[in-house]
Amino acid sequence: MSALPPDQARLYESCAFDIHGWSSLREKKKTLASQGHQGYLYEVSSPEGIHMGYYNVRSSQDGKVVIANQQPFLQLSYTISGNKSYHIDAGHKMLVSFEKQQYNYLFFPQQEIHLNWHANEPLETFELGISPELTLNFLPEEHPLYAMFHQSMAHNAPASLSKDHLPLQAGISTILYDMLNCPLDGRYKQLYLKAKTMELLAIQLKQYEQILGIRQDANARTLKKGDVERMYLARDIIISNMNSPCTLIDLAHQVGTNDAYLKSHFKLVFGTTVYGYLQGIKMTHARELLAQGKNVSEVAYLSGYKHTAHFTRAFKKHFGFAPGIMKR
């Protein structure tokens, strides 16, 4: 492994990872406040072969973690905010990179994988690892990802199973935060994590088919590539004008469609309405502000709410917990 420059060495970490490494449910919580890192991490591992990691970090220089995988597994990689990339071949070759509000299915073999992120940029990400045995129990044989997963395992080669990243729907984010804030312990938490993992896969595998135009039956609705691209453009406009959103008709005209198609196509791609998506990114931004230490009333004002109580209700409805919990 190549050495890092002296000014980057303190941001370099290496860890071994085994998807079957535990005989019982194991959890790790850590606040990061040294060696150039600021933030929080949470990891939970189930003996069934499920590992969830949540990482919310900002680094003073480009950060890197080298994960020495002891066994192959499926990695569901979700980026809430920030940018990250995975590298192979001792870090010399990029496997895949992510921007905010994207996820993908990755196959990681028994080898080192380098995870990199940018300096001075908040990174919030979930990583859900699932053992091959459990993956094959959940993944239908007729699904297009099944063959790609088998091929990657046969060649023991790291791969991004979907050539295009998928948009992070509001429902998916809600399930991830449910897993992060699970109120149960022990065997009941283990059962909860398995149930939520199955729920995630059910939603995501269906979304994969819809977005990529894979028809399951004669009545299934699919979109052309141009339709999907217009919805991504609409999403970018929504994000850029979060505090002064335009009307549905104006948004439709900007992306070259009408409001009826905008409503139906946007929901197919992102799993929610235009308003629901706008509300989701506002809540995600509010959550980032709270994580930075701002108080609830200030965040309510910055999120466009005149009354803190209205913001608190909206936040709790979206995430399932009150904004005050972030402060604690």
Side-chain angles (χ1 to χ4, degrees):
M1 187 178 302
S2 60
L4 292 175
D7 62 341
Q8 293 185 12
R10 61 195 182 93
L11 294 180
Y12 171 83
E13 295 183 28
S14 180
C15 60
F17 175 70
D18 188 347
I19 196 73
H20 285 303
W22 309 108
S23 58
S24 60
L25 193 74
R26 297 292 181 92
E27 294 183 80
K28 177 183 178 181
K29 301 177 182 179
K30 184 177 181 181
T31 299
L32 305 174
S34 62
Q35 297 183 328
H37 300 297
Q38 298 289 330
Y40 172 79
L41 67 84
Y42 170 77
E43 296 176 343
V44 58
S45 299
S46 163
E48 295 175 302
I50 296 174
H51 175 90
M52 189 191 80
Y54 169 77
Y55 310 95
N56 194 332
V57 62
R58 180 196 288 264
S59 301
S60 60
Q61 299 172 29
D62 289 350
K64 178 167 74 171
V65 171
V66 177
I67 305 126
N69 297 323
Q70 305 301 301
Q71 293 182 357
F73 64 98
L74 176 71
Q75 174 91 311
L76 299 174
S77 187
Y78 310 87
T79 307
I80 306 297
S81 62
N83 294 269
K84 67 184 180 187
S85 58
Y86 290 97
H87 298 252
I88 55 176
D89 296 344
H92 299 302
K93 180 181 178 181
M94 181 185 291
L95 173 65
V96 64
S97 63
F98 290 87
E99 297 178 355
K100 63 182 179 180
Q101 297 296 304
Q102 293 180 336
Y103 79 93
N104 209 329
Y105 308 82
L106 309 177
F107 176 74
F108 285 163
Q110 184 181 353
Q111 65 174 242
E112 286 188 349
I113 303 291
H114 294 224
L115 170 60
N116 294 29
W117 62 94
H118 299 319
N120 300 313
E121 180 182 277
L123 173 68
E124 184 178 12
T125 180
F126 285 89
E127 309 291 349
L128 182 63
I130 308 175
S131 70
E133 298 83 2
L134 210 54
T135 299
L136 294 175
N137 284 339
F138 294 160
L139 186 60
E141 289 188 27
E142 65 273 13
H143 197 280
L145 286 176
Y146 187 93
M148 287 182 266
F149 182 68
H150 258 288
Q151 184 179 12
S152 296
M153 285 189 61
H155 292 89
N156 195 42
S160 175
L161 299 186
S162 173
K163 67 176 184 178
D164 298 312
H165 292 322
L166 292 98
L168 195 57
Q169 296 180 343
I172 294 174
S173 298
T174 299
I175 296 171
L176 291 170
Y177 285 111
D178 284 345
M179 296 170 76
L180 177 64
N181 296 286
C182 174
L184 305 174
D185 295 306
R187 67 180 67 181
Y188 301 114
K189 187 164 193 171
Q190 181 177 333
L191 181 61
Y192 184 91
L193 292 175
K194 182 178 180 180
K196 287 295 181 181
T197 298
M198 295 175 66
E199 185 180 359
L200 272 175
L201 284 175
I203 293 172
Q204 292 173 187
L205 294 176
K206 180 64 176 178
Q207 181 195 21
Y208 180 88
E209 294 178 346
Q210 288 178 327
I211 291 179
L212 299 188
I214 299 167
R215 187 179 296 272
Q216 282 190 312
D217 55 64
N219 297 319
R221 297 182 63 188
T222 61
L223 296 180
K224 297 178 181 178
K225 182 179 179 181
D227 295 329
V228 176
E229 290 174 349
R230 274 189 283 272
M231 294 307 102
Y232 272 90
L233 177 57
R235 181 203 63 177
D236 293 342
I237 294 172
I238 292 168
I239 293 173
S240 300
N241 298 276
M242 185 172 61
N243 294 323
S244 55
C246 56
T247 66
L248 282 176
I249 294 177
D250 287 340
L251 180 60
H253 289 169
Q254 288 186 59
V255 300
T257 187
N258 60 53
D259 58 328
Y261 281 119
L262 175 65
K263 291 177 183 177
S264 61
H265 291 177
F266 194 92
K267 190 166 186 178
L268 275 176
V269 173
F270 295 102
T272 186
T273 63
V274 171
Y275 173 78
Y277 190 87
L278 173 61
Q279 186 72 355
I281 61 172
K282 287 177 70 174
M283 290 297 102
T284 299
H285 182 60
R287 195 178 176 284
E288 293 172 357
L289 295 175
L290 289 166
Q292 293 170 15
K294 297 185 183 300
N295 61 53
V296 175
S297 59
E298 182 181 6
V299 173
Y301 173 78
L302 293 173
S303 301
Y305 287 84
K306 294 180 180 180
H307 303 287
T308 303
H310 294 170
F311 166 75
T312 299
R313 281 197 295 270
F315 189 95
K316 188 172 183 179
K317 181 179 180 181
H318 185 77
F319 289 112
F321 57 90
I325 290 178
M326 291 291 299
K327 299 296 295 181
R328 295 196 292 272

